[in-house]
Amino acid sequence: MREVDTVVLENSHGFQHLRQSLIVPGMSSFCGNHSILEVKEQENWLLHRDIMHALLAPVLQLYREASRVAESFLGTYLEYDLELAFRGEARGAFTWLQCLIMEEGDWCSTRGCPACVVSHTLQSEPTIRLSLMACRLSRTLRKQTASPDLPLFDFWRSSLRNALDRDPFWGSKHAKEIEERAAALEICVKDLMRQNHELEKTVRSSPQKSQNVSVTVTSVSLALLGY
């Protein structure tokens, strides 16, 4: 990471506050393989883990908020029914996030050894795609925040792309393809944000409609189960 990027992070009150909040048991402890590293190396892993947390936490919050609104709108707590609250690209984004968060919950929450969490990013296409998408989406989320305390993380996206280009398994060709998928995912997630906002207004203004939808969802679920 360039020195100028490090200076920007050091001068960001929001990012430094986030870093302090992550100094809790289970979030900053290194595993046996990485506990023997030099302090400077560990600090570098912690910095990159904290950047990842700043990027992934808003996406997790978006998914949780969409799940909450979907539950209220549909009147169901069945996890696999919640996608029915959305349509088109938004539904695709919701189900994609749902599957990844279920499979990679600890990584998405940046729980565990910081070095392992950061290293795991390059282990699969979905984790890479989500990381790149989160970098892209951070610009939109920053604009929508009344007081954007966090800096832009374009530099980390570039670093991730460079790491992919140099990686013997992924290489530049796969990196370009994943970047394109990340851009497509960002569009779908933005649609999810828009539809979620619309649904929340509907839930607040028309509680009776939500109850009627609940009956429909229950009927669909029973039909799919063969009842």
Side-chain angles (χ1 to χ4, degrees), residues 13 38 41 51 88 108 116 121 134 149 154 171 191 193-195 198 204 206-208:
H13 174 75
E38 296 290 335
E41 290 182 86
I51 292 173
C108 290
C116 291
T121 303
D149 292 329
D154 292 346
D191 193 31
M193 294 168 61
R194 181 184 61 79
Q195 290 190 30
E198 294 173 353
R204 289 179 178 177
S206 307
Q208 184 60 44

Side-chain angles (χ1 to χ4, degrees), residues 4 61 119 180 202:
V4 63
Q61 181 60 33
S119 299
E180 292 172 352
T202 300

Side-chain angles (χ1 to χ4, degrees), residues 147-214:
S147 55
D149 292 329
L150 292 176
L152 292 173
F153 291 103
D154 292 346
F155 67 90
W156 201 80
R157 176 183 160 200
S158 298
S159 297
L160 181 55
R161 271 302 306 268
N162 290 335
L164 289 171
D165 289 339
R166 296 192 305 268
D167 189 89
F169 179 79
W170 297 111
S172 58
K173 180 180 179 181
H174 284 103
K176 182 179 179 181
E177 292 174 352
I178 299 175
E179 180 76 67
E180 292 172 352
R181 293 179 201 144
L185 178 61
E186 181 193 16
I187 294 173
C188 297
V189 169
K190 285 181 177 179
D191 193 31
L192 175 61
M193 294 168 61
R194 181 184 61 79
Q195 290 190 30
N196 185 59
H197 181 66
E198 294 173 353
L199 282 180
E200 188 168 28
K201 290 193 295 184
T202 300
V203 169
R204 289 179 178 177
S205 62
S206 307
Q208 184 60 44
K209 181 176 181 180
S210 298
Q211 294 175 7
N212 294 336
V213 172
S214 174

Side-chain angles (χ1 to χ4, degrees), residues 17-89:
H17 178 74
L18 179 144
R19 298 203 73 187
Q20 289 298 316
S21 70
L22 293 176
I23 305 177
V24 294
M27 290 295 290
S28 301
S29 301
F30 286 85
C31 67
N33 291 332
H34 294 107
S35 61
I36 60 176
L37 296 175
E38 296 290 335
V39 173
K40 189 172 183 179
E41 290 182 86
Q42 290 186 350
E43 290 177 348
N44 188 53
W45 284 117
L46 281 168
L47 175 60
H48 283 278
R49 189 283 309 273
D50 294 348
I51 292 173
M52 285 182 57
H53 189 88
L55 291 167
L56 296 178
V59 180
L60 273 181
Q61 181 60 33
L62 167 63
Y63 170 75
R64 293 181 184 126
E65 185 66 14
S67 297
R68 181 190 64 79
V69 172
E71 287 176 0
S72 299
F73 180 72
L74 299 173
T76 178
Y77 293 97
L78 297 176
E79 199 168 22
Y80 291 105
D81 278 342
L82 298 182
E83 66 177 81
L84 299 175
F86 308 102
R87 61 189 184 278
E89 293 181 334

Side-chain angles (χ1 to χ4, degrees), residues 74-127:
L74 299 173
T76 178
Y77 293 97
L78 297 176
E79 199 168 22
Y80 291 105
D81 278 342
L82 298 182
E83 66 177 81
L84 299 175
F86 308 102
R87 61 189 184 278
E89 293 181 334
R91 180 181 291 185
F94 183 85
T95 54
W96 191 89
L97 289 174
Q98 184 180 60
C99 291
L100 182 62
I101 292 170
M102 289 179 66
E103 294 179 4
E104 299 282 2
D106 286 342
W107 176 82
C108 290
S109 300
T110 63
R111 286 194 296 264
C113 168
C116 291
V117 169
V118 176
S119 299
H120 188 72
T121 303
L122 297 183
Q123 294 301 305
S124 69
E125 189 275 344
T127 54

